[in-house]
Amino acid sequence: MFDLGAARIAVRSPIESFHQQLDLVYRDYGEEDPAGFADVRVALLPGHPLRLWKRQIALWSEGSRPFEPYPVGSGLPLFEWGGNWLLAQRLNAYLLLHAGVLARNDRALILPAAPGSGKSTLTCALHLAGWRFLSDEFGVLDPDSGDLLPLLKPAALKNRSIGIIGQHPRARLGPVFHGTRKGDVAHFVPLRDSIADRHRPARPRLIIFPRFRDGAALCCTPIHTADAAMRLGLNSFNYRTLGTVGFDAVVRLARATRAFELEYGDLSAAIAHIDALFAEHA
């Protein structure tokens, strides 16, 4: 079982290649008592016995198989994507934003974005530039305290992002899985200091909705509080499920922060601009 900060996930599997992949990206997390409480429990098992010639691996949770099997060598992507999907269904004590979250001096930067916006690449690049990593996939907001809680899972980098982030001297990536349903994928491992601080919350200060566009000049536009609240709700996994709790949470979050939209084509320029914005508004 792995302690991710805001949640725990337990996994078992008889497949040795999957255990080797887990060891590459989770070795700094340590292992919790597998009999203890877990928000999500999964088993990755060989595919249907009549289809062993296809060499498949399937994810099971609570007696159901929510996804089609993957090739047996792709256990880690199945575990990561399946685990994320299950966490998004279960963690309804919190508002779950689809966002990267980083912090400096326990003040948080939130990067909500739709798939394909470059969120994961920007989150990992900011982390390698000195920001504390809280999450790439889930912005976990406690509706009662207003704090953001770390949910430290490896970040799934796709296609060009693998080379961009992988060339950094401090970056540690798991194996590259070629030709998945999302293209080539490799998992970025947060640095050890952030893993050690996975129970340390941060206060929201700045929201940036990033959008990478190849060759684009950097353009940063302020967003009105009401628009920011609406976009936060649209970039949430469980906003509708939480009802008035979700509505109140995004409104309070939008009022407590400054929000901007950032379009960029150069990663270094984006990082420098975010550093300056954060210094001004945090």
Side-chain angles (χ1 to χ4, degrees):
M1 181 160 63
F2 298 112
D3 177 0
L4 308 175
R8 287 177 168 83
I9 186 166
V11 56
R12 62 183 180 87
S13 177
I15 299 173
E16 182 60 30
S17 63
F18 171 60
H19 283 281
Q20 292 170 358
Q21 294 163 10
L22 277 182
D23 288 343
L24 289 173
V25 296
Y26 281 98
R27 68 187 182 205
D28 295 331
Y29 286 71
E31 292 190 20
E32 301 284 309
D33 179 1
F37 172 79
D39 298 273
V40 168
R41 290 185 178 274
V42 300
L44 272 77
L45 304 174
H48 193 285
L50 298 180
R51 298 180 180 176
L52 285 180
W53 62 273
K54 288 188 175 181
R55 302 281 294 159
Q56 292 180 325
I57 184 171
L59 182 145
W60 292 83
S61 181
E62 298 184 357
S64 67
R65 193 192 71 186
F67 312 103
E68 289 300 310
Y70 276 36
V72 71
S74 298
L76 183 61
L78 176 58
F79 171 66
E80 288 299 312
W81 291 331
N84 285 347
W85 186 84
L86 290 164
L87 286 167
Q89 312 304 308
R90 308 279 174 81
L91 297 184
N92 288 321
Y94 308 114
L95 177 71
L96 301 177
L97 302 171
H98 183 233
V101 183
L102 305 112
R104 275 189 169 162
N105 299 321
D106 295 335
R107 296 170 296 169
L109 164 68
I110 308 170
L111 302 170
S117 301
K119 167 186 63 66
S120 294
T121 310
L122 182 58
T123 299
C124 295
L126 284 163
H127 178 43
L128 292 169
W131 293 71
R132 177 162 69 96
F133 190 103
L134 276 73
S135 180
D136 166 63
E137 186 69 13
F138 295 103
V140 181
L141 182 72
D142 184 335
D144 296 324
S145 68
D147 287 341
L148 284 158
L149 310 180
L151 188 58
L152 243 75
K153 295 180 88 269
L157 298 174
K158 295 176 279 294
N159 303 316
R160 289 175 57 190
S161 297
I162 297 170
I164 292 170
I165 297 300
Q167 68 184 352
H168 192 284
R170 292 203 298 162
R172 180 156 64 90
L173 273 62
V176 178
F177 298 91
H178 297 284
T180 75
R181 299 169 192 182
K182 298 187 179 183
D184 294 344
V185 173
H187 296 86
F188 170 85
V189 182
L191 301 178
R192 290 177 180 175
D193 287 352
S194 289
I195 295 173
D197 283 340
R198 61 190 181 274
H199 291 285
R200 182 174 155 194
R203 296 295 294 177
R205 287 295 181 266
L206 186 66
I207 301 170
I208 294 179
F209 294 87
R211 185 171 70 248
F212 174 81
R213 187 164 62 85
D214 203 8
L218 190 143
C219 179
C220 187
T221 308
I223 298 176
H224 189 273
T225 299
D227 291 335
M230 179 186 69
R231 292 177 67 169
L232 287 167
L234 292 172
N235 280 281
S236 169
F237 293 99
N238 61 348
Y239 172 74
R240 291 186 178 181
T241 300
L242 294 183
T244 56
V245 172
F247 176 81
D248 290 343
V250 297
V251 169
R252 288 198 302 271
L253 178 58
R255 287 174 173 169
T257 56
R258 292 292 304 275
F260 297 84
E261 183 175 71
L262 180 68
E263 183 176 85
Y264 66 97
D266 180 86
L267 188 58
S268 297
I271 292 171
H273 192 78
I274 290 170
D275 284 341
L277 271 180
F278 197 80
E280 180 180 354
H281 296 291

